[in-house]
Amino acid sequence: MYPADRFPTLGRLDPRVPWDQQLARVLIRPFAGTGLTPNHVTSLFLFVGLLGGWFFAQGGSAIHLGAALFVLSTFIDHMDGELARMTNQTSRFGALFDLAAGGLVHVVLFCAMGAGLSGGAFGAWTLLMGLVAGLAVAAIFALRFELERRGSSDAVRQPKFAGFEIEDVMYLVAPITWLGGLLPFLVVASIGAPLFLIYQIWEFWRQTSEGGATAD
């Protein structure tokens, strides 16, 4: 989800906007005016993401389908905001629904990864790794949303390179899974996500402190 003022050109390519966001804009445009609402799209994202988590939890070859569904859900998640801006259906509830759905999908995803990998070398430790990574990602979502709500759009803006953002690393879940690297990915996520959460907490504290000082 991005502030509307970052999308002044909804009808053409915008080098400031990530490629997946621009593709989502193109694909959702035909549905504007059809009765499809942003909350419908968010519900689809939630369903596809949770279904992907279910397949991850099965372990074995099922994780390959789980990875594909998760990546699909990640892409769908970009469509609700685009549709909301196109049809002027932005709302507080829609933003909160999108936030809650995103947090839930990521918690379920990582916990499901841990469950599916629990029969391997790390045993039940993968369940803890998945829980830690999932909760950290959900907390990051919440903090970034709160900063954006307070008008600190610069603080939540992610570094971009060649049309990609940091969060686009989640698209790598599919090829990493298909190539047999899911366990190393989970280990890295269980360490990296909490570290990034610590940074985000510091950023939240800094922004809110500066806001309070300005208000005084």
Side-chain angles (χ1 to χ4, degrees), residues 99 102-103 106-107 110 132-148 155-156 158 166-167 170 189 191-204:
L99 174 68
H106 282 84
V107 170
F110 284 107
V132 168
L135 290 177
V137 170
I140 291 167
F141 269 65
L143 285 172
R144 290 172 61 84
F145 175 84
E146 180 60 20
L147 280 172
E148 189 168 313
V156 298
Q158 301 180 56
I166 289 177
E167 69 177 18
M170 298 308 296
I191 298 171
L195 289 177
F196 189 72
L197 173 59
I198 292 172
Y199 164 76
Q200 200 67 66
I201 291 172
W202 174 83
E203 186 66 32
F204 181 82

Side-chain angles (χ1 to χ4, degrees), residues 38 111 146 164 213:
C111 289
E146 180 60 20
F164 297 97

Side-chain angles (χ1 to χ4, degrees), residues 21-34 36-37 41 76 78-84 86:
Q21 196 79 19
Q22 298 192 61
L23 180 57
R25 176 186 305 167
V26 171
L27 294 179
I28 200 64
R29 181 175 292 279
F31 295 94
T34 63
L36 184 72
T37 71
V41 179
I76 293 173
H78 290 292
M79 293 183 173
D80 52 2
E82 290 298 324
L83 183 61
M86 288 177 188

Side-chain angles (χ1 to χ4, degrees), residues 10-169:
L10 289 175
R12 62 181 184 272
L13 291 177
D14 187 337
R16 297 172 299 171
V17 183
W19 299 118
D20 58 347
Q21 196 79 19
Q22 298 192 61
L23 180 57
R25 176 186 305 167
V26 171
L27 294 179
I28 200 64
R29 181 175 292 279
F31 295 94
T34 63
L36 184 72
T37 71
N39 290 338
H40 290 153
V41 179
T42 303
S43 298
L44 177 62
F45 151 64
L46 179 60
F47 172 76
V48 175
L50 294 180
L51 184 61
W54 186 85
F55 278 104
F56 264 121
Q58 307 311 304
S61 61
I63 64 174
H64 301 300
L65 180 55
L69 288 170
F70 171 71
V71 168
L72 176 60
S73 74
T74 299
F75 180 72
I76 293 173
D77 187 33
H78 290 292
M79 293 183 173
D80 52 2
E82 290 298 324
L83 183 61
R85 283 181 285 272
M86 288 177 188
T87 58
N88 195 29
Q89 296 185 72
T90 57
S91 69
R92 174 70 173 170
F93 173 80
L96 290 173
F97 181 30
D98 182 62
L99 174 68
L104 179 60
V105 165
H106 282 84
V107 170
V108 168
L109 166 76
F110 284 107
C111 289
M113 283 183 183
L117 294 169
S118 61
F122 283 74
W125 283 104
T126 59
L127 293 170
L128 179 60
M129 292 178 191
L131 181 62
V132 168
L135 290 177
V137 170
I140 291 167
F141 269 65
L143 285 172
R144 290 172 61 84
F145 175 84
E146 180 60 20
L147 280 172
E148 189 168 313
R149 186 190 68 81
R150 296 184 181 209
S152 302
S153 58
D154 289 338
V156 298
R157 189 168 296 154
Q158 301 180 56
K160 292 190 290 290
F161 176 76
F164 297 97
E165 291 184 319
I166 289 177
E167 69 177 18
D168 293 336
V169 70

